[in-house]
Amino acid sequence: TSVLSTRWRYLFDLLPNIDFDLEEDLCRKNIKSYSTDVIENYMCSVDRMLLFCNTTNVSKFGFKCWIKMIGSNRFNRWISAAVDRGVKHLDLSTSVLPSSTLPIFTCKTLVSLKLGKYFVLNVPKDVHLPNLKILHLHSVGFLNDDSVKRLLSGCPHLEDMVTRKCDLGNIRNFHISHHLLKTLTIRYTYNSYQCWLWINAPNLTSLEYYDRLVAGYSMENLQSLTKAVIDISACKTLRADATKIFKGICDVPSLVLSDTSLQLLLRCEPLPVFENLIKLDLPCHLRFRCSNAFQKGLETLLSSLPALEKLEFYQEVLCSLPEKVPSCLLHKLKTIKITNFTDEKDCIGKAKYILKNGGVLEKLIIVTASHISIGKKWISKTLCVSSRESKPCFILII
């Protein structure tokens, strides 16, 4: 268009969102080799967009490139140009190692900051991001313990934090302490076996933790938590250190537990009582096995859930039927969903037990396994004629 009319040449100055992705751009142009000329031409196009034009403002600046031929000085100039134009959303994934003098640490307009791939955060003492609400860190390393503390203390209005595949090898205490933080997601940290995880967030409403066990935990002031997902990866030893995780979240109303997480919870002595838990989801699949140590699985857990109203679980988790009917089944449980259900006698017996004792049960949802031999109609017919405590209970076979 700039060839057709010179008046159109600098219309891109008005674009509020600028997003550069070197790999995607070269793939679109069917360029397979990363020669010096190709990289230089691409970098020049970024220069023209950010440095040599009169772009008045930049709402979002994204840059993705794994090539180490850019140079930190050039990269720093780009970030400075975006900050000078009042950037609000910054998304950076590059192999360039940023310096502690990057202006992103004192950017007053920044609302969302996403850093990924090989960044090593050397956070300066004067970090100040007064409007930052979203912080996502992917494959980021931390120079030391102070880097984490400084970064969070410099973001007074932070609400959403995500760490994914971050390297904790240089730190011993991963402190996530913030008075306004609302959602926190931690996924698959590296070199964390000697690291302690500290979480202190009085306004945190959502916590998702997908990781192996670290050296230790401290979970404080989580009284505002409304939902927690705990997915601890399989580990050689099920250490009792995980007790502190469950004690820290025992007031949560909604909880999702993986198979290993459930086993770790059942090892806690005494077993934490979840007084306020209303919804429990146990997506344990076929990995869960009723070993001698956990043969009472869900049976044991139900005794610690007096307020439970909604339960979803794979039928393998209910290894045996409780001799004493849990109070939540008698008086609270309204919806139960059983997955991987078969037409075997043992499985049918579990559903009959629930129907017989579910005093206020409104809905029983059964998701059948793919290998059932007789079929859904037989299961439905068998359960419909079985005795039930709650007459209005609706049975759905899927």
Side-chain angles (χ1 to χ4, degrees), residues 296-307:
K296 292 192 176 182
L298 183 57
E299 174 190 345
T300 302
L301 185 57
L302 287 175
S303 63
S304 297
L305 310 175

Side-chain angles (χ1 to χ4, degrees), residues 211 219 304 369 378 383:
D211 209 346
M219 316 282 279
S304 297
W378 181 85
L383 296 182

Side-chain angles (χ1 to χ4, degrees), residues 21 47 55 79 116 151 286 288 290 315 322 327 351 353 359:
D21 190 329
D47 285 340
T55 305
I79 304 304
L151 183 58
L286 293 175
F288 190 91
C290 295
Q315 63 91 10
S327 62
Y353 177 89

Side-chain angles (χ1 to χ4, degrees), residues 43 46-47 50-52 61 63 67-82 94-103:
M43 298 304 106
V46 181
D47 285 340
L50 283 176
L51 304 178
F52 305 137
F61 177 63
F63 184 79
I67 308 301
K68 295 183 179 181
M69 301 168 64
I70 304 171
S72 58
N73 291 334
R74 199 171 200 171
F75 178 75
N76 290 352
R77 289 200 302 271
W78 293 341
I79 304 304
S80 297
T94 173
S95 55
V96 176
L97 297 179
S99 65
S100 60
T101 57
L102 269 181

Side-chain angles (χ1 to χ4, degrees), residues 174-193:
F174 190 35
H175 277 274
I176 300 177
S177 179
H178 200 283
H179 65 293
L180 289 182
L181 190 65
K182 294 181 179 179
T183 61
L184 173 62
T185 302
I186 300 175
R187 288 179 175 268
Y188 316 120
T189 56
Y190 290 120
N191 301 317
S192 58
Y193 55 92

Side-chain angles (χ1 to χ4, degrees), residues 235-385:
C235 43
K236 294 181 179 178
T237 6
L238 298 173
R239 294 175 291 177
D241 291 348
T243 301
K244 295 182 180 179
I245 297 178
F246 300 113
K247 285 185 176 180
I249 64 169
C250 62
D251 290 329
V252 68
S254 177
L255 179 62
V256 180
L257 292 176
S258 67
D259 50 358
T260 307
S261 303
L262 175 58
Q263 294 182 27
L264 287 166
L265 173 57
L266 295 173
R267 286 181 64 93
C268 296
E269 294 182 1
L271 190 67
V273 177
F274 293 81
E275 295 280 0
N276 303 317
L277 191 64
I278 297 174
K279 180 181 178 182
L280 175 64
D281 188 1
L282 302 171
C284 294
H285 304 280
L286 293 175
R287 293 180 298 170
F288 190 91
R289 293 294 181 267
C290 295
S291 63
N292 292 332
F294 311 111
Q295 60 183 349
K296 292 192 176 182
L298 183 57
E299 174 190 345
T300 302
L301 185 57
L302 287 175
S303 63
S304 297
L305 310 175
L308 192 66
E309 295 182 5
K310 186 173 182 180
L311 173 64
E312 298 182 13
F313 66 97
Y314 273 65
Q315 63 91 10
E316 293 89 349
V317 181
L318 187 58
C319 304
S320 58
L321 300 177
E323 295 179 6
K324 181 180 179 182
V325 183
S327 62
C328 62
L329 181 57
L330 289 171
H331 309 294
K332 292 291 185 177
L333 270 167
K334 297 178 180 179
T335 303
I336 296 179
K337 181 179 179 180
I338 308 175
T339 304
N340 203 45
F341 198 88
T342 68
D343 49 20
E344 297 175 358
K345 181 179 179 181
D346 176 63
C347 214
I348 297 293
K350 296 173 184 178
K352 287 183 175 181
Y353 177 89
I354 291 172
L355 289 171
K356 181 180 178 181
N357 297 289
V360 295
L361 197 62
E362 297 175 358
K363 186 184 295 184
L364 175 61
I365 304 171
I366 292 176
V367 182
T368 57
S370 57
H371 60 277
I372 58 174
S373 57
I374 300 177
K376 299 178 184 178
K377 289 185 178 180
W378 181 85
I379 295 175
S380 178
K381 183 178 178 180
T382 303
L383 296 182
C384 284
V385 298

